[in-house]
Amino acid sequence: MGKSAVAWELFTGLPAAGYIDIDQVGMCFPEIPSDPGRTLLQGRILGRAVANFAAAGAGCLIVSGCIDSRRGIHTEYLTRAALTVLRMRCDQPELRRRLEARARPGEQRESALRDAEVLDRGSLDYPVLDTTGRTVAEVLRTVRDRWPDQPVRQPGPWPDPPRTPGEILWLCGTTAVGKSMIGWEVADRSRRAGHITGFVDLQQIGFLHPATGHDAGHHRLKAANLAAVWADFHGYGARRLVVVGPVEHHSQVLRYLRTLPAATVRLYRLHAGPDQLAERIRQRGLGGGPPIAGDELRGRPAVVLARAREAAVAQAAALESADIGDVRIDTDGRTVEDVADEISKRRGW
């Protein structure tokens, strides 16, 4: 129904705003019977993330995603937030067309349609915006009128990070080297082997506008949110976590390690040569890879992709020079499955 697209556009236009897609803080598999849809897990993590975004100086946090169609939002975990809710809906035929356009598998599509019907027939007392027949731009104008600007907060104090043990496998590397796809495959293999396993993309838990000079990559915020996610994944039963996301300096790596003092963290740096990076960036520009918020390559013009290619090649060289990571993995000429297989075997996963 355009939740993520509208929420992202709203976020980019608001000063001192943060953004989270709720699905990105609930990727711990398989589900457990007591929490179908993982909405309780997501609610607990969101409550921790609210405190972290506030500490980073966010005046508001934009959240997009599905909710429990019968219970609604788990407000018991949002005691530090003044909550504003807007439920977006559209008619079933149009919703079906939108889901089919996204190539959702049949089972997921039918489940989403059933949940939407439950919400429409239910008694949840949330304001509703009907998006049937409306474009993202039209919906955004309506939503923006309801959302006042929030002032920048004074950063801090930061909550104490939880001390959570377990194994964390972190894949870093330059843009388009394959971190997300390889990391997802490693996590999926661990899950299929019978281990409750989490997955986190650091970029997706660190969106804050605008960037601040003292922490341009928002690594303090990302580290705090990573520790929060891992604490609740661990409580969910996970003992393994796959993390994907870039770092450029050893000082940034140390920030994450200090926030995860009880965990065993192993950092794998994926590397690719200039020709491979150029081709992968070209594929991303054409729509390859998972559609995620903040993707700076998907659908972009050739001139933007050319600049991205130059930056990625330079960053790969800098990471080589700095010798970032515990293990270097060359990905040139290799499939996702091949690289994931090497990493899984190295970790005994």
Side-chain angles (χ1 to χ4, degrees):
M1 283 182 278
K3 301 181 297 296
S4 297
V6 171
W8 179 258
E9 292 299 322
L10 180 63
F11 157 68
T12 57
L14 284 175
Y19 170 79
I20 276 186
D21 183 324
I22 198 69
D23 290 340
Q24 294 291 332
V25 295
M27 289 191 287
C28 190
F29 303 97
E31 294 179 355
I32 58 176
S34 61
D35 187 18
R38 299 182 299 279
T39 59
L40 282 168
L41 175 67
Q42 293 168 348
R44 287 193 293 267
I45 294 170
L46 182 59
R48 295 180 189 264
V50 165
N52 292 331
F53 273 98
C60 64
L61 179 62
I62 312 298
V63 181
S64 66
C66 299
I67 62 172
D68 187 315
S69 56
R70 291 176 171 80
R71 284 194 53 186
I73 296 169
H74 296 285
T75 55
E76 64 270 28
Y77 301 115
L78 299 174
T79 57
R80 298 188 180 187
L83 184 63
T84 299
V85 180
L86 180 62
R87 180 170 75 85
M88 297 169 60
R89 56 91 54 203
C90 71
D91 292 345
Q92 287 272 317
E94 182 162 335
L95 179 57
R96 180 179 291 277
R97 286 195 299 272
R98 295 180 187 183
L99 293 169
E100 289 174 348
R102 296 180 187 179
R104 287 285 186 91
E107 183 179 342
Q108 292 183 15
R109 183 169 61 244
E110 296 308 315
S111 176
L113 289 165
R114 288 193 299 270
D115 285 344
E117 189 172 14
V118 170
L119 283 167
D120 280 345
R121 293 181 176 180
S123 58
L124 294 176
D125 188 22
Y126 300 143
V128 177
L129 175 60
D130 194 326
T131 68
T132 305
R134 305 177 70 182
T135 66
V136 169
E138 291 170 338
V139 174
L140 177 62
R141 283 194 294 271
T142 302
V143 175
R144 187 66 183 86
D145 289 342
R146 301 184 182 207
W147 202 289
D149 289 345
Q150 299 293 325
V152 178
R153 293 173 53 94
Q154 185 67 28
W158 289 86
D160 293 331
R163 297 179 61 87
T164 311
E167 286 189 79
I168 298 179
L169 192 159
W170 179 4
L171 305 185
C172 71
T174 191
T175 300
V177 76
K179 300 182 292 294
S180 296
M181 294 183 70
I182 293 169
W184 183 262
E185 178 66 21
V186 171
D188 194 46
R189 289 179 181 217
S190 176
R191 177 192 62 79
R192 295 198 306 265
H195 302 275
I196 298 177
T197 305
F199 178 87
V200 175
D201 183 330
L202 291 177
Q203 180 187 23
Q204 298 297 311
I205 60 173
F207 288 123
L208 180 63
H209 177 76
T212 55
H214 68 279
D215 187 18
H218 298 310
H219 290 291
R220 185 170 189 178
L221 173 62
K222 292 174 183 176
N225 280 339
L226 177 60
V229 170
W230 179 227
D232 281 303
F233 280 9
H234 192 275
Y236 197 77
R239 298 299 180 265
R240 295 177 175 182
L241 175 67
V242 177
V243 177
V244 299
V247 281
E248 298 177 350
H249 308 292
H250 290 285
S251 61
Q252 295 169 351
V253 177
L254 288 174
R255 179 177 291 282
Y256 288 91
L257 296 181
R258 286 196 295 266
T259 313
L260 299 161
T264 300
V265 182
R266 191 73 169 168
L267 180 61
Y268 287 72
R269 175 168 55 87
L270 305 181
H271 178 78
D275 291 343
Q276 290 280 303
L277 290 174
E279 175 59 20
R280 293 172 191 179
I281 287 172
R282 187 185 74 84
Q283 292 293 335
R284 284 272 299 277
L286 294 173
I292 56 176
D295 191 333
E296 298 177 348
L297 301 178
R298 179 181 289 262
R300 303 297 288 168
V303 64
V304 173
L305 299 180
R307 288 198 297 266
R309 180 177 64 249
E310 293 174 3
V313 170
Q315 186 186 33
L319 293 172
E320 285 275 88
S321 178
D323 194 27
I324 296 293
D326 302 306
V327 179
R328 177 191 184 275
I329 303 287
D330 197 324
T331 67
D332 277 355
R334 303 174 67 184
T335 65
V336 167
E337 292 75 17
D338 182 35
V339 178
D341 188 53
E342 178 183 346
I343 293 171
S344 297
K345 287 179 178 178
R346 281 177 176 268
R347 290 304 301 155
W349 284 20

